């Protein structure tokens, strides 16, 4: 009998080790997939990416980690997956609806993310080592993303496309002396949204004296490099909000805050921007034009008009219109742009789901703990760009929503 018990314990130990190794592997893949959406099929215009592979590999976690999750986390994933599946069926039952590969990939990302996010959230809250692993992978992915932008200028986009480090839609655009570089994300605003995640990730890794942490400044440097290439104001603003959110979290946990250090940090950032701009062989007006008042006013007016148009589309189809491929959109492709991740979700997935997601993101940010900078960053980035379509950000949206049910986690 004693031998049987010992053998059972040995088997249990082996299973726990396998489960831990599997979980950590998924965390790394998911973290990398958020910021470095590498192509698994080089050269294909809309091929699967690292984020899709990560979601596929992590799906069993919904069952494997079920017993270890808190009751709210056990429920929300399966409820969300059920609601999304019903929404999908309602949309496809509409007259003339056609389900294609684009629809399949879009809905897979949402349904899989709703199942994977709760167990991942539980692991991040329970285990500081898992938290460091995930945020370390996000930071590493941001570094890879920045590297692809630099390599595109050195070796050319064709060489990167051959190994999955760039899309056929990757571009180096020059409009009004504004050179904007993108490879993996295919659009400079989306690229900066991914690279800018290096700031909340670096802050999370630095933990205690975060303003003096190496990880913090690695994240800041990556964000600055990303901005130099992408010139996306929203991503830079989201990184700044994440920084301010961390200051607010520190006050909530009564951390000692060094005002002089914060001022010096801002000076270092400003000096870094000027140094990078001076060292780049680009037009001197490149940054100035991105912050010109008239240009900002025109940009805001255009976005407000886009939001109004999207709200009209949502009013016509409150259950959502599903995913529409570029081929189907044709000359009307511009009508699918929302410049707001929540509105894009309302137009495609449904207004109810978008409202629930926004509320959960706000609740998650209001927890004022270790995950608040990430939630604050995501909210700002979502209000500026259509991010709820790629696998990485769809998963991140579901993860921050699942973290709304977390217990307070010290920074």
């Amino acid at each position: 009998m004693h031998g049987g018990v010992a053998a059972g314990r040995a088997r249990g130990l082996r299973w726990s080790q396998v489960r831990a190794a599997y979980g950590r592997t998924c965390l790394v893949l998911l973290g990398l997939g958020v910021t470095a959406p590498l192509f698994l099929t080089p050269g294909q215009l809309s091929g699967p990416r690292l984020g899709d592979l990560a979601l596929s590999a992590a799906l069993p976690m919904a069952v494997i980690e079920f017993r270890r999750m808190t009751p709210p986390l056990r429920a929300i994933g399966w409820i969300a997956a059920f609601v999304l599946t019903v929404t999908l069926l309602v949309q496809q039952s509409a007259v003339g609806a056609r389900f294609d590969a684009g629809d399949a990939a879009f809905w897979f990302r949402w349904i899989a993310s709703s199942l994977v996010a709760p167990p991942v959230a539980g692991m991040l809250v329970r285990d500081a080592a898992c938290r460091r692993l995930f945020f370390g992978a996000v930071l590493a992915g941001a570094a890879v993303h920045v590297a692809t932008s630099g390599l595109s200028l050195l070796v050319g986009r064709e060489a990167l496309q051959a190994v999955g480090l760039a899309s056929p839609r990757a571009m180096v655009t020059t409009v009004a002396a504004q050179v904007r570089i993108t490879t993996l994300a295919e659009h400079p605003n989306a690229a900066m949204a991914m690279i800018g995640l290096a700031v909340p990730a670096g802050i999370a890794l630095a933990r205690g004296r975060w303003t003096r942490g190496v990880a913090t400044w690695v994240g800041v440097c990556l964000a600055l490099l990303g901005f130099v290439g992408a010139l996306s104001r929203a991503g830079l603003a989201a990184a700044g909000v994440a920084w301010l959110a961390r200051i607010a979290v520190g006050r909530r946990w009564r951390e000692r805050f060094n005002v002089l250090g914060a001022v010096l940090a801002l000076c270092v950032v400003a000096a870094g921007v000027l140094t990078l701009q001076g060292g780049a062989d680009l037009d001197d007006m490149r940054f100035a034009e991105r912050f010109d008042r008239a240009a900002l006013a025109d940009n805001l007016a255009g976005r407000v008009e886009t939001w109004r148009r999207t709200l009209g589309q949502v009013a016509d189809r409150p259950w959502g219109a599903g995913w529409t491929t570029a081929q189907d959109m044709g000359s009307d492709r511009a009508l699918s742009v929302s410049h707001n991740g929540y509105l894009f979700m309302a137009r495609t997935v449904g207004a109810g789901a978008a409202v629930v997601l926004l509320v959960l993101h706000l609740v998650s940010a209001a927890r004022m703990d270790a995950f608040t900078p990430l939630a604050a960053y995501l909210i700002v980035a979502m209000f500026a760009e259509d991010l709820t379509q790629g696998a990485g950000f769809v998963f991140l949206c579901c993860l921050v929503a699942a973290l709304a049910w977390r217990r307070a986690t010290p920074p």
Side-chain angles (χ1 to χ4, degrees):
M1 180 179 291
H2 178 73
V5 172
R9 289 178 178 174
R11 285 195 296 273
L13 179 63
R14 286 195 297 271
W15 166 242
S16 65
Q17 291 174 338
V18 170
R19 181 179 61 189
Y22 165 71
R24 296 189 178 195
T25 300
C26 289
L27 288 179
V28 171
L29 289 174
L30 290 166
L32 288 173
V34 170
T35 46
L38 307 178
F39 284 84
L40 301 180
T41 52
Q44 286 195 13
L45 189 62
S46 299
R49 303 200 182 194
L50 180 60
D52 298 302
L53 172 64
L55 284 177
S56 300
L59 263 178
M61 291 180 67
V63 176
I64 293 173
E65 294 288 330
F66 186 80
R67 291 180 176 273
R68 305 180 71 198
M69 291 189 283
T70 59
L73 290 179
R74 290 179 183 176
I76 59 173
W78 294 98
I79 292 174
F82 175 77
V83 171
L84 289 171
T85 302
V86 170
T87 303
L88 165 62
L89 295 176
V90 170
Q91 288 184 6
Q92 293 306 311
S93 66
V95 177
R98 184 171 63 85
F99 198 72
D100 59 13
D103 291 294
F106 180 75
W107 283 106
F108 164 78
R109 289 166 180 170
W110 274 107
I111 295 172
S113 294
S114 67
L115 292 172
V116 171
V120 171
M123 292 175 66
L124 297 183
V125 172
R126 288 193 311 267
D127 193 339
C130 289
R131 202 152 56 240
R132 290 193 297 271
L133 196 64
F134 176 75
F135 283 115
V138 171
L139 191 64
V144 171
H145 205 138
V146 170
T148 63
S149 297
L151 287 172
S152 67
L153 300 177
L154 295 175
V155 303
R157 286 169 292 167
E158 292 75 11
L160 296 182
Q161 291 171 15
V163 294
L165 289 176
S167 164
R169 283 195 293 256
M171 57 185 176
V172 178
T173 59
T174 306
V175 180
Q178 294 178 3
V179 179
R180 307 185 71 185
I181 305 168
T182 176
T183 56
L184 290 173
E186 301 178 347
H187 191 282
N189 292 343
M192 185 60 202
M194 295 177 184
I195 295 169
L197 279 167
V199 172
I203 289 173
L205 287 171
R207 302 181 67 185
R209 294 185 176 182
W210 63 280
T211 56
R212 302 180 184 180
V214 173
T216 296
W217 292 107
V218 168
V220 170
C221 290
L222 289 174
L224 291 176
L225 287 168
F227 179 72
V228 168
L231 283 183
S232 173
R233 295 165 295 217
L236 196 63
V241 169
W243 186 281
L244 295 175
R246 182 59 182 84
I247 294 175
V249 168
R251 292 180 66 87
R252 180 252 190 255
W253 291 88
R254 298 182 179 180
E255 291 180 349
R256 294 183 61 184
F257 184 69
N258 188 340
V259 178
L260 178 60
V263 173
L264 289 175
L266 291 175
C267 292
V268 169
V269 171
V273 171
L274 294 175
T275 301
L276 290 169
Q277 175 64 8
D281 186 17
L282 301 172
D283 195 295
D284 291 338
M285 296 299 293
R286 188 166 174 267
F287 281 177
E289 290 180 359
R290 293 299 289 171
F291 295 100
D292 179 73
R293 290 185 179 181
L296 287 171
D298 290 342
N299 182 269
L300 180 59
R303 286 177 180 260
V304 170
E305 181 60 31
T306 301
W307 296 338
R308 288 175 178 169
R309 184 184 66 217
T310 305
L311 286 172
Q313 294 172 339
V314 173
D316 292 337
R317 299 282 296 273
W319 273 92
W323 173 258
T324 306
T325 65
Q327 292 83 357
D328 291 336
M329 286 184 281
S331 61
D332 296 328
R333 184 175 182 179
L335 298 179
S336 70
V337 177
S338 305
H339 280 304
N340 185 302
Y342 297 110
L343 288 179
F344 182 87
M345 182 181 177
R347 187 181 69 81
T348 56
V349 180
V355 170
V356 170
L357 189 74
L358 174 58
V359 170
L360 290 177
H361 285 178
L362 293 172
V363 171
S364 189
R367 294 294 187 192
M368 299 301 289
D369 64 355
F371 298 102
T372 292
L374 176 65
Y377 179 96
L378 181 62
I379 291 171
V380 175
M382 284 279 286
F383 270 104
E385 195 59 37
D386 298 348
L387 298 174
T388 44
Q389 46 187 314
F393 259 89
V394 167
F395 165 72
L396 191 64
C397 286
C398 293
L399 176 63
V400 172
L403 285 169
W405 276 275
R406 68 184 182 265
R407 55 179 172 79
T409 305

